[in-house]
């Protein structure tokens, strides 16, 4: 199993499956029970969204690997790193508040967004490498990186919201 996904190929295959499901429904073919068609389309949509979003894909792979592991193995995978994530979230929020209070808040928020993007890109690269060798240690590290990426994503959305507010004031 690989973490890397060809997004254009994924979109092409998604559209193909959706077309096929809709054609089957329009033609009234009895290949599936009529009640299953909407459910099938919903599952295809959910699968596409999961595979297209790197964070959702990483969450899914971690869950998938956890299901395959024995209960004794997964017992040690607790909340490690969550306290440091909270501290990092507070620090990022403080950085963002400080940026909006500068003489050029739009420029400062843009700089924060660039830093968040750079950190996310580095963590994403590390996540790819960890999923290439899904040992228990690497999966544990992948879970921590996933938590960090989710934190950075939340902070990015917050910074983008603040940036939009600053632009609307101009």
């Amino acid at each position: 199993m690989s973490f890397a996904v060809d997004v254009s190929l994924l979109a092409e295959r998604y559209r193909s499956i959706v077309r096929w499901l809709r054609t089957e429904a329009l033609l009234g073919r009895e290949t599936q029970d009529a009640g299953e068609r909407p459910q099938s389309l919903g599952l295809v949509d959910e699968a596409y969204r999961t595979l297209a979003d790197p964070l959702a894909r990483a969450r899914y792979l971690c869950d998938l690997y956890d299901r395959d592991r024995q209960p004794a193995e997964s017992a040690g995978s607790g909340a490690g790193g969550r306290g440091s994530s909270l501290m990092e979230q507070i620090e990022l929020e403080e950085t963002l508040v400080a940026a909006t209070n500068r003489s050029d808040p739009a420029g400062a928020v843009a700089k924060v967004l660039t830093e968040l993007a750079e950190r996310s890109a580095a963590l994403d690269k590390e996540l790819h490498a960890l999923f290439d060798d899904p040992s228990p240690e690497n999966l544990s590290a992948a879970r921590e990186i996933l938590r960090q990426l989710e934190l950075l994503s939340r902070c990015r959305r917050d910074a983008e919201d603040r940036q939009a507010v600053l632009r609307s004031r101009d």
Side-chain angles (χ1 to χ4, degrees):
M1 202 171 307
S2 175
F3 183 69
V5 170
D6 181 339
V7 179
S8 61
L9 180 60
L10 175 66
E12 178 185 315
R13 289 188 178 167
Y14 166 74
R15 287 188 300 272
S16 174
I17 291 169
V18 167
R19 251 189 324 269
W20 180 81
L21 285 171
R22 289 186 176 150
T23 301
E24 290 295 308
L26 288 172
L27 294 175
R29 293 199 178 137
E30 297 302 320
T31 56
Q32 289 181 330
D33 188 3
E36 291 180 14
R37 282 190 201 107
Q39 182 181 359
S40 296
L41 194 52
L43 290 172
V44 170
D45 286 343
E46 182 181 354
Y48 173 73
R49 284 191 306 273
T50 299
L51 291 171
D53 176 7
L55 292 179
R57 188 170 62 246
R59 251 183 260 111
Y60 176 80
L61 285 175
C62 283
D63 291 345
L64 186 64
Y65 284 121
D66 282 345
R67 280 190 302 250
D68 290 343
R69 291 170 53 195
Q70 299 299 321
E73 290 179 74
S74 57
S77 59
R82 289 205 176 133
S84 63
S85 292
L86 179 60
M87 288 304 298
E88 186 175 5
Q89 183 174 2
I90 291 169
E91 290 171 4
L92 287 169
E93 182 61 30
E94 288 172 351
T95 300
L96 193 52
V97 168
T100 57
N101 292 328
R102 292 205 177 120
S103 60
D104 177 21
V109 171
K111 183 178 178 187
V112 169
L113 280 167
T114 300
E115 291 170 3
L116 291 171
E118 289 170 353
R119 287 174 64 185
S120 293
L123 288 170
D124 187 59
K125 185 176 180 181
E126 194 174 338
L127 191 62
H128 276 77
L130 292 168
F131 277 122
D132 283 343
D133 176 22
S135 67
E137 297 81 21
N138 284 353
L139 290 173
S140 180
R143 280 184 210 85
E144 178 56 30
I145 288 175
L146 177 58
R147 281 191 287 276
Q148 291 174 24
L149 284 168
E150 288 171 334
L151 167 67
L152 292 175
S153 178
R154 284 190 302 273
C155 290
R156 188 196 81 246
R157 285 190 303 271
D158 190 25
E160 288 170 345
D161 289 346
R162 288 175 192 237
Q163 190 176 49
V165 168
L166 291 170
R167 285 183 179 157
S168 70
R169 291 180 185 166
D170 291 336

